[in-house]
């Protein structure tokens, strides 16, 4: 087998793997609710969820689905859905903004990622990529 | 309903929304159509060669002397396919035909036919352009052009949205590298086609129609310049990313890969090439080393495969693949077309030579 034939699989594992790690991290933080590995505030939860959605979009566009199992797409989508549900479930009890030094960074990260995601999705819809 | 119940309901709704969007935008990976028509023997020989790749519609045509066999999966002889770079062989034929007409010679400089204002590319010859020895890059290298190419490649869009003036500006801006050596160039064949049209005082689409397609009766072959030029039931291709591919309209790059044809029309073209009756058949003659162990004519590559001298050209667009392979000595040819990006070269070569390629 030509080693280049493995490239689509390697890329699929890479892009979808990032997605799985990111979504799993959110699910675990939502599950725990307390301790060091939790959402410090709503901006943090939003930033992580927006990032996961962006990774999901990149995985969709960059994976060679002609050879990589499409079942992985459904699994990653389901995991991202669970992450989104986890953020909603934790939302009411999270502070709007924590008082630590990283709070501003998290807010900028959340807003920046959401804006980038919105622009990217709009551009893809205009270009008819999902048509 | 209490606040907690509302939150759980909203969480479920958000999760359902994400799943729904995931289903709507899911990748589409076609499977080889089970709707088979054509010669049962050729179907049986082609089917195993299509296993393992991503296919949807596939057409295979086998020419052996006066006999023609065809095998179609989800298609028929009149299914339209983008033939991609097989178009370059038609541009090569137009060059050979123009030489026979005395309009140009293989040594005619590009700058004599296209206004390049003394740019390095003005000095290259038409023969160098047709045989990929001009030193021009494969694709335009300006930053904006690279951005368009990368975006198109990753999103399944038409990568050549350029008009004539833009093509000429790209060629004028290009640096020559390795002139005289083999270096595949879509840009080179594109500007070659435009130069031949200039020499004939017309546009490339008219030149191709008047000098090749009409004489050969290839009425189903088109060179779409816009979506309106496509038939309503135009075959849609699939990208390797699982998306529907935009049609390649090619515009000024049409001479390098803009033709849509059908198996029936391509059979006419190839049969005429084998018989030596196609305009510009001299394009088939190998004239130079291709730097990869084979030789090259005006676009056509000539290589040994399992003891058979095969004259071939393949093609690929964002959603289609094509392969045309001729055994001129044996008066045989195999043509293969599909609407996915999975290459059909191994299938065509194995059917032609009997050797696993």
């Amino acid at each position: 087998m030509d080693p280049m034939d493995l490239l689509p699989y390697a890329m699929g594992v890479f892009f979808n793997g990032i997605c799985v790690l990111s979504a799993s991290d959110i699910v675990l933080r939502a599950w725990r609710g307390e301790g060091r590995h939790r959402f410090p505030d709503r901006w943090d939860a939003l930033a992580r969820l927006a990032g996961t959605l962006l990774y999901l979009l990149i995985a969709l566009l960059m994976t060679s689905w002609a050879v990589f199992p499409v079942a992985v797409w459904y699994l990653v989508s389901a995991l991202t859905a669970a992450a989104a549900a986890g953020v909603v479930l934790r939302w009411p009890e999270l502070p709007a903004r924590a008082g630590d030094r990283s709070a501003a960074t998290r807010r900028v990260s959340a807003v920046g990622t959401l804006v980038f995601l919105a622009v990217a999705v709009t551009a893809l819809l205009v270009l008819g990529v999902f048509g | 309903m209490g606040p907690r119940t509302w939150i759980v309901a909203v969480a479920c709704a958000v999760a359902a929304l994400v799943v729904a969007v995931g289903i709507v935008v899911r990748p589409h990976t076609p499977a080889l159509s089970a709707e088979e028509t054509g010669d049962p023997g050729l179907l049986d020989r082609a089917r195993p060669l299509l296993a393992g790749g991503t296919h949807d519609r596939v057409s295979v045509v086998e020419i052996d002397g006066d006999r023609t066999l065809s095998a179609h999966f989800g298609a028929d002889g009149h299914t339209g396919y983008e033939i991609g770079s097989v178009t370059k062989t038609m541009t090569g034929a137009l060059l050979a035909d123009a030489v026979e007409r005395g309009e140009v010679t293989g040594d005619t400089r590009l700058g004599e036919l296209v206004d390049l204002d003394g740019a390095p590319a003005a000095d290259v010859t038409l023969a160098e352009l047709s045989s990929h020895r001009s030193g021009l890059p494969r694709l335009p290298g300006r930053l904006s052009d690279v951005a368009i190419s990368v975006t198109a490649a990753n999103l399944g869009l038409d990568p050549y949205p350029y008009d004539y003036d833009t093509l000429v500006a790209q060629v004028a801006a290009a640096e020559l590298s390795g002139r005289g050596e083999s270096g595949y160039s879509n840009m080179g064949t594109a500007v070659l086609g435009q130069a031949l049209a200039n020499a004939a005082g017309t546009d490339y689409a008219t030149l191709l129609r008047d000098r090749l397609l009409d004489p050969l009766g290839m009425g189903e072959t088109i060179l779409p310049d816009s979506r309106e030029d496509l038939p309503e039931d135009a075959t849609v291709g699939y990208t390797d990313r699982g998306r529907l591919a935009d049609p390649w309209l090619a515009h000024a790059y049409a001479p390098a890969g803009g033709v849509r044809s059908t198996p029936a029309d391509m059979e006419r073209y190839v049969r005429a090439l084998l018989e030596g009756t196609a305009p510009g058949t001299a394009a088939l003659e190998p004239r130079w080393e291709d730097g990869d162990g084979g030789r090259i004519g005006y676009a056509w590559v000539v290589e040994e495969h399992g003891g058979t001298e095969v004259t071939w050209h393949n093609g690929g667009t964002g959603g289609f693949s094509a392969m045309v392979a001729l055994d001129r000595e044996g008066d045989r040819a195999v043509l293969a077309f599909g609407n996915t990006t999975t290459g059909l070269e191994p299938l065509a070569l194995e059917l032609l030579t009997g050797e696993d390629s």
Side-chain angles (χ1 to χ4, degrees):
Chain A
M1 175 182 259
D2 187 339
M4 288 303 289
D5 291 344
L6 298 175
L7 188 61
Y9 294 98
M11 289 180 67
V13 168
F14 176 74
F15 288 115
N16 289 280
I18 289 176
C19 236
V20 167
L21 290 175
S22 180
S24 301
D25 178 61
I26 292 176
V27 171
L28 289 175
R29 287 172 187 273
W31 181 264
R32 285 182 178 124
E34 293 179 352
R36 192 161 63 89
H37 295 291
R38 60 177 174 74
F39 301 122
D41 59 18
R42 290 176 177 175
W43 285 113
D44 182 68
L46 202 56
R48 290 178 189 279
L49 182 59
T52 301
L53 292 171
L54 187 58
Y55 297 145
L56 187 69
L57 179 64
I58 292 170
L60 174 64
L61 296 176
M62 300 304 292
T63 302
S64 293
W65 296 107
V67 294
F68 200 70
V70 177
V72 174
W73 168 254
Y74 292 108
L75 288 173
V76 173
S77 295
L79 193 56
T80 304
V87 167
V88 173
L89 288 172
R90 282 291 169 208
W91 191 263
E93 61 201 61
L94 294 175
R97 184 183 177 186
D100 61 318
R101 286 191 300 180
S102 302
T105 304
R106 289 194 296 270
R107 188 167 56 173
V108 170
S109 172
V111 172
T113 309
L114 282 170
V115 168
F116 184 80
L117 189 63
V119 169
V121 169
T122 303
L124 292 170
L125 288 171
V126 169
L127 290 170
V129 171
F130 297 124
Chain B
M1 200 153 63
R4 186 65 192 167
T5 309
W6 271 110
I7 292 166
V8 171
V10 171
C12 290
V14 168
L17 180 65
V18 172
V19 169
V21 171
I23 290 172
V24 168
V25 303
R26 71 189 181 281
H28 294 273
T29 52
L32 180 65
S33 174
E35 189 182 315
E36 300 179 356
T37 55
D39 178 72
L42 183 56
L43 284 164
D44 287 344
R45 283 185 286 138
R47 200 180 300 109
L49 299 176
L50 294 167
T54 301
H55 299 284
D56 176 35
R57 300 181 182 205
V58 174
S59 292
V60 181
V61 177
E62 187 179 64
I63 299 172
D64 188 352
D66 293 334
R67 188 187 67 168
T68 298
L69 302 178
S70 58
H72 302 288
F73 301 82
D76 59 34
H78 306 289
T79 300
Y81 296 96
E82 292 179 357
I83 65 168
S85 290
V86 177
T87 305
K88 290 182 174 73
T89 69
M90 297 180 177
T91 301
L94 292 176
L95 170 58
D97 182 62
V99 170
E100 289 164 16
R101 289 168 183 261
E103 288 177 351
V104 298
T105 71
D107 294 328
T108 298
R109 307 283 167 183
L110 182 59
E112 297 173 36
L113 301 172
V114 175
D115 185 10
L116 290 169
D117 198 23
D123 190 52
V124 304
T125 67
L126 303 187
E128 286 175 327
L129 290 169
S130 190
S131 56
H132 301 288
R133 296 176 304 115
S134 67
L136 280 170
R138 184 183 190 94
L139 297 168
R142 301 180 306 180
L143 193 59
S144 59
D145 303 326
V146 171
I148 288 173
S149 293
V150 170
T151 303
N154 283 294
L155 300 181
L157 307 175
D158 181 356
Y160 299 119
Y162 306 118
D163 60 15
Y164 175 85
D165 290 339
T166 306
L167 168 63
V168 172
Q170 290 167 341
V171 173
E175 297 289 332
L176 302 185
S177 174
R179 183 178 173 191
E181 301 167 8
S182 182
Y184 197 85
S185 174
N186 290 317
M187 184 199 278
T189 309
V191 76
L192 167 65
Q194 302 299 341
L196 293 172
N198 289 348
T202 185
D203 59 84
Y204 179 79
T206 305
L207 185 72
L208 184 69
R209 173 65 56 199
D210 290 350
R211 294 193 177 178
L212 192 71
L213 304 183
D214 283 350
L216 294 177
M218 298 171 66
E220 295 176 337
T221 301
I222 59 173
L223 200 61
D225 190 54
S226 69
R227 285 178 182 271
E228 287 68 40
D229 294 336
L230 295 170
E232 280 184 17
D233 60 347
T235 312
V236 178
Y238 291 90
T239 73
D240 66 347
R241 305 283 169 83
R243 311 231 70 84
L244 297 178
D246 259 9
W248 277 24
L249 302 172
H251 305 294
Y253 275 73
V259 164
R260 283 181 88 103
S261 189
T262 63
D265 266 13
M266 290 300 289
E267 182 206 341
R268 287 190 185 90
Y269 175 50
V270 172
R271 186 170 283 288
L273 286 170
L274 286 171
E275 292 170 351
T277 57
T281 296
L284 291 166
E285 297 303 327
R287 301 160 197 254
W288 304 276
E289 300 298 315
D290 75 351
D292 202 23
R295 290 170 294 155
I296 190 165
Y298 289 163
W300 289 99
V301 179
V302 181
E303 289 175 340
E304 290 282 331
H305 284 274
T308 304
E309 185 180 85
V310 179
T311 303
W312 65 272
H313 209 294
N314 60 355
T317 67
F320 289 81
S321 292
M323 176 66 173
V324 175
L326 290 72
D327 168 9
R328 298 178 68 196
E329 185 72 27
D331 197 21
R332 299 178 65 244
V334 172
L335 298 68
F337 310 95
N339 69 330
T340 68
T341 57
T342 302
L344 295 166
E345 295 86 354
L347 173 143
L349 290 173
E350 186 162 343
L351 288 176
L352 184 69
T353 68
E355 296 283 327
D356 184 354
S357 60

